[in-house]
Amino acid sequence: TGTGPDYDAALDEEFKALCVSETVFGRHHPTTLAVRGYLARTMCKHGNYDQAEQMQRSLLAVIRRLYGYSDHRAAEVQLALALTLRAKALYGLVSFTEWADLLVAAEGMLLEVRTQLVYHMGAGSPAAIRAQCRLASTLFYQGKLDEALSTQQAACNAALELGDQHPLARSSQQKLERIQRNMELLAAAARGG
């Protein structure tokens, strides 16, 4: 769990910002909702996964009620929630069953977010490509290696359309190479070499 003066200071500042935003704009104003999302991400970043998840689920429900299921803000919060679940699975103290359930839930959310982003922004948009990369790594963590590889390859191909010097093209290529390298290591270990 996140502790320490930096974390405490960040939380204090974000709680103050949330209080000010709620007072000035109201609980359901887009700015207030965004601040609530920042607070949840800070909690996740510092290991407070349960609090972050609870806040993100609540925020997602409010945004869907106010703006609709396919609103871009809902996709952003759902993406953050999927990443919180994935972080909780990878870094939290959870049982194997909970680990598997969290990764399956994260995969489903990432698939849905990617679909929404592709629909609204196009498959070649940076947001859709990043969601595709996150989906690939989540698949890899679940041991779905071939699916992870093909998903990351598709992200890499889309990112290259932005130009081979684009930061997203380089990072997606590095992620692809990492998946390939890990698959080779796993294959070598399975052969006993």
Side-chain angles (χ1 to χ4, degrees):
T1 327
T3 57
D6 291 343
Y7 174 68
D8 294 340
L11 269 187
D12 285 347
E13 289 304 311
E14 289 183 13
F15 271 119
K16 286 178 191 173
L18 181 60
C19 289
V20 168
S21 187
E22 285 180 350
T23 302
V24 173
F25 300 116
R27 290 181 46 92
H28 296 125
H29 189 276
T31 300
T32 304
L33 299 175
V35 172
R36 194 171 290 129
Y38 297 142
L39 178 59
R41 283 195 292 275
T42 298
M43 289 175 175
C44 178
K45 181 179 176 183
H46 291 281
N48 288 326
Y49 306 118
D50 292 333
Q51 288 177 301
E53 178 185 353
Q54 182 180 9
M55 186 173 280
Q56 288 164 331
R57 286 187 186 281
S58 171
L59 181 58
L60 184 59
V62 167
I63 288 174
R64 284 180 171 165
R65 188 177 68 247
L66 293 174
Y67 302 107
Y69 196 83
S70 63
D71 184 78
H72 70 92
R73 289 167 282 224
E76 291 170 9
V77 174
Q78 190 169 358
L79 174 61
L81 176 58
L83 296 177
T84 295
L85 295 178
R86 189 175 78 179
K88 184 177 178 180
L90 297 176
Y91 309 116
L93 298 174
V94 298
S95 69
F96 178 78
T97 302
E98 189 177 2
W99 172 84
D101 291 345
L102 287 166
L103 287 177
V104 167
E107 176 189 350
M109 288 182 189
L110 288 166
L111 279 166
E112 189 174 325
V113 167
R114 183 194 60 184
T115 300
Q116 289 177 12
L117 291 171
V118 167
Y119 178 77
H120 291 291
M121 302 173 142
S125 72
I129 295 167
R130 280 191 291 276
Q132 182 100 352
C133 290
R134 289 171 174 143
L135 175 61
S137 63
T138 302
L139 292 166
F140 184 83
Y141 295 139
Q142 293 178 80
K144 299 177 179 179
L145 305 181
D146 292 332
E147 198 174 343
L149 184 64
S150 64
T151 301
Q152 187 61 45
Q153 182 66 61
C156 193
N157 292 343
L160 284 171
E161 293 295 319
L162 300 172
D164 61 352
Q165 294 303 309
H166 192 281
L168 197 50
R170 289 196 307 269
S171 70
S172 63
Q173 181 63 40
Q174 290 168 346
K175 290 174 185 171
L176 177 64
E177 290 167 1
R178 191 174 317 124
I179 290 172
Q180 291 169 329
R181 202 169 35 253
N182 285 325
M183 288 178 73
E184 290 168 5
L185 291 170
L186 288 170
R191 289 190 307 269

